[in-house]
Amino acid sequence: MFEALSFGDAGWGDELLYGLAVTIRLALTALPVGLAIGFVVAGLSMARSPLLRMLGVGYTTLMRGLPEILTLFVVYNGVGLLLGRIALWYDPAAAPPAFSPFVAGVVALSLVFGAFAAEVLRGAFAALDRGQVEAGQSVGMTRGMIFRRIQVPQVWRFALPGLGNLWINLLKDTSLVSVIALDDLMRMTKVAVGVTKQPFTFYLAACLIYWALCVLSELVLARLEARANRGVRRV
Amino acid sequence: MHPIDTLQAAWPALMDGLWITLQLTVFSSVLAAALAVPLALVRVHAPAAAQAPLRLYISFARGTPILAQLFLIFYGSGQFRPLLTEWGLWSFFRDPSNCALLAFVFNSTAYQTEILRGGIQGVPPGEIEAARAIGMSRVTALRRVVLPHAYRIAWPAIGNEIILLMKASALASIVTVFDLMGQTRRIFSRSFDFSIYLWAALLYLAITAVFVVLWRLVERRLSRHLAARQAPLPAANPRTT
């Protein structure tokens, strides 16, 4: 049973490892994009203008309410169709352009991550002591300076636990891209199952790899949190 | 095809799918809720060593993708087909909707156990002491004091978990269950009519919206004795130094 998981030509160990690399690359690419979306949307939901606020709140409500798999299909099929139509419009003879599943995965996962991150960041900004902002104003800091020097360094501290959970969700959600034929860990497992006819062994192996990733992330996050809170007085 | 025509043509199929989605969500969340009560009590009261297997299960269920859990159950059971046939369980595992239900219960029980544990630990010790002082047995105190209060504390978090479960139920479509997502994918693969995805999205949002309103109503009812007391108090001052 275990030789099927060995490395080299006989086993599927190296194929699974290749899939794991795709999974990690996908998650690490979606993370910064999603965080950027999160900051923008959090900014919108805290804006003075009611129109912008509605836009931000609407986005988070929409993205948090839809199944991730539906978002992925909408992005993959929708953008695919759109690109095809644009290509036809330019040059009716052209073959429809291929929309890479990796890009579709990154876009869909970061759209979802961004919506949840926006809520975490909004909560973190709200958790900041208002007195510190007023203190900044009273010593003559501009809004930008207050944002950069007082708010951002502390938002990190308040947002880290929430963002850590989102990172773990992101890692797990990457498994969805196997459905749109991206060779991530889940899909490589499926390929291995197709050949070896040992579904339980291989899906259990995949589960254990995902589990290890999550436990490892939790350990790193705990250290990051300890580091972010090192200047805080404990009561 | 105009989006409205698409909706009209797809309406019966979408409603069939919606019904399956609701059934999957309701059954799995209720089963998980029932399992979560004893497990949460173990998490609160059992000695640490006795909790080890439970904590391992919770960590595993929360640390692996639901899709992987679903595949492990649905495809993985095939590896034990002779054994399962012998035990008369094969007909259960052969049906993808049973496997989906099992995977969702497996996953949600872990989350609900932890949520409920937080709720139970959030019950003020004074309430339990008071219940014991007037002569309630441990079980009576649990039933009349601890669990009602724990559920009130945990209510919003359980609501979030059920919404997550409803969204996750769309994964059942990948193992050929024709829930809302499954019907949508089937219609799209035949017609390549993109607007069907947008209608499905609207339906999912509608489920969430209705659920959120219902859940709030129940929450208000659960804490109706607090509303009267809280009303006359001024808003809490956020500036505390």
Side-chain angles (χ1 to χ4, degrees):
Chain A
M1 170 166 161
F2 286 105
E3 59 268 29
L5 285 165
S6 67
F7 290 81
D9 291 338
W12 288 87
D14 40 349
E15 278 81 359
L16 292 192
L17 214 59
Y18 167 80
L20 176 63
V22 174
T23 291
I24 293 177
R25 212 151 47 91
L26 186 65
L28 286 180
T29 318
L31 178 68
V33 183
L35 268 181
I37 295 176
F39 263 104
V40 171
V41 176
L44 287 178
S45 348
M46 291 184 295
R48 293 224 184 99
S49 133
L51 192 74
L52 291 180
R53 232 178 16 240
M54 228 167 68
L55 207 65
V57 173
Y59 177 81
T60 48
T61 313
L62 180 74
M63 277 296 158
R64 295 192 308 157
L66 293 182
E68 289 79 0
I69 186 89
L70 180 65
T71 309
L72 184 64
F73 277 121
V74 166
V75 169
Y76 186 56
N77 293 327
V79 178
L81 284 178
L82 198 70
L83 281 180
R85 209 164 277 176
I86 292 172
L88 280 181
W89 190 55
Y90 268 113
D91 176 11
F99 182 46
S100 129
F102 188 84
V103 177
V106 168
V107 171
L109 290 173
S110 48
L111 284 177
V112 175
F113 186 94
F116 284 93
E119 288 297 284
V120 169
L121 291 169
R122 204 166 56 89
F125 272 105
L128 295 181
D129 192 348
R130 269 232 22 105
Q132 297 184 358
V133 175
E134 285 162 7
Q137 283 166 346
S138 70
V139 296
M141 286 189 179
T142 62
R143 282 188 64 170
M145 281 162 85
I146 293 174
F147 181 72
R148 251 191 349 265
R149 294 192 188 165
I150 299 178
Q151 292 181 303
V152 169
Q154 299 192 81
V155 154
W156 174 238
R157 181 163 68 87
F158 286 118
L160 195 55
L163 292 179
N165 281 340
L166 293 184
W167 161 254
I168 289 176
N169 281 346
L170 175 65
L171 267 181
K172 294 191 288 177
D173 283 346
T174 56
S175 64
L176 300 180
V177 298
S178 64
V179 181
I180 55 167
L182 180 58
D183 287 335
D184 75 323
L185 174 57
M186 205 64 214
R187 191 168 147 83
M188 292 315 277
T189 310
K190 199 170 183 135
V191 173
V193 165
V195 176
T196 61
K197 309 289 176 212
Q198 294 184 359
F200 190 82
T201 314
F202 275 93
Y203 283 121
L204 187 63
C207 279
L208 292 179
I209 296 174
Y210 278 113
W211 194 15
L213 272 184
C214 287
V215 171
L216 192 73
S217 299
E218 275 166 19
L219 290 177
V220 172
L221 284 165
R223 305 240 348 217
L224 280 179
E225 268 174 52
R227 205 180 131 72
N229 285 319
R230 71 196 182 284
V232 182
R233 185 169 44 124
R234 252 172 245 132
V235 190
Chain B
M1 204 148 110
H2 193 273
I4 298 287
D5 298 331
T6 310
L7 181 66
Q8 263 177 352
W11 186 256
L14 288 181
M15 284 305 112
D16 286 352
L18 184 73
W19 180 233
I20 303 278
T21 291
L22 290 178
Q23 277 180 320
L24 270 176
T25 310
V26 170
F27 286 151
S28 47
S29 50
V30 168
L31 281 173
L35 290 170
V37 174
L39 293 179
L41 288 172
V42 170
R43 281 290 278 126
V44 175
H45 294 296
Q51 286 183 25
L54 181 58
R55 292 171 68 154
L56 208 63
Y57 152 67
I58 290 172
S59 171
F60 180 83
R62 299 202 304 178
T64 51
I66 301 194
L67 188 63
Q69 293 165 8
L70 180 58
F71 283 1
L72 184 67
I73 293 173
F74 181 61
Y75 295 117
S77 58
Q79 198 167 326
F80 306 108
R81 184 172 173 178
L83 197 68
L84 290 171
T85 313
E86 195 182 316
W87 291 348
L89 288 173
W90 179 243
S91 55
F92 177 87
F93 282 100
R94 208 178 41 189
D95 182 347
S97 36
N98 287 340
C99 289
L101 190 70
L102 194 60
F104 299 152
V105 171
F106 177 85
N107 186 272
S108 192
T109 302
Y111 282 95
Q112 290 200 32
T113 301
E114 284 301 278
I115 293 170
L116 193 57
R117 175 184 68 96
I120 292 175
Q121 285 174 338
V123 176
E127 290 185 14
I128 304 166
E129 284 164 5
R132 302 282 290 147
I134 59 169
M136 283 191 198
S137 70
R138 273 182 185 283
V139 177
T140 316
L142 193 68
R143 214 180 56 229
R144 294 199 191 153
V145 178
V146 178
L147 282 182
H149 197 168
Y151 264 107
R152 205 178 69 232
I153 297 171
W155 198 253
I158 293 178
N160 282 340
E161 164 57 19
I162 294 176
I163 291 177
L164 288 181
L165 193 63
M166 191 276 291
K167 286 166 49 184
S169 75
L171 294 179
S173 67
I174 296 172
V175 292
T176 68
V177 173
F178 286 106
D179 68 332
L180 180 50
M181 188 73 208
Q183 294 286 5
T184 306
R185 285 178 67 191
R186 199 172 55 118
I187 294 167
F188 181 77
S189 66
R190 277 193 200 151
S191 63
F192 287 101
D193 183 351
F194 185 68
S195 59
I196 192 70
Y197 275 126
L198 304 181
W199 289 118
L202 271 180
L203 281 173
Y204 273 112
L205 286 180
I207 302 176
T208 314
V210 170
F211 177 80
V212 166
V213 170
L214 287 178
W215 208 252
R216 285 243 175 88
L217 282 178
V218 178
E219 185 181 342
R220 201 170 300 162
R221 168 135 185 102
L222 284 177
S223 16
R224 61 196 183 283
H225 58 294
L226 295 176
R229 203 189 300 168
Q230 267 169 2
L233 286 177
N237 189 351
R239 237 184 294 169
T240 44
T241 31

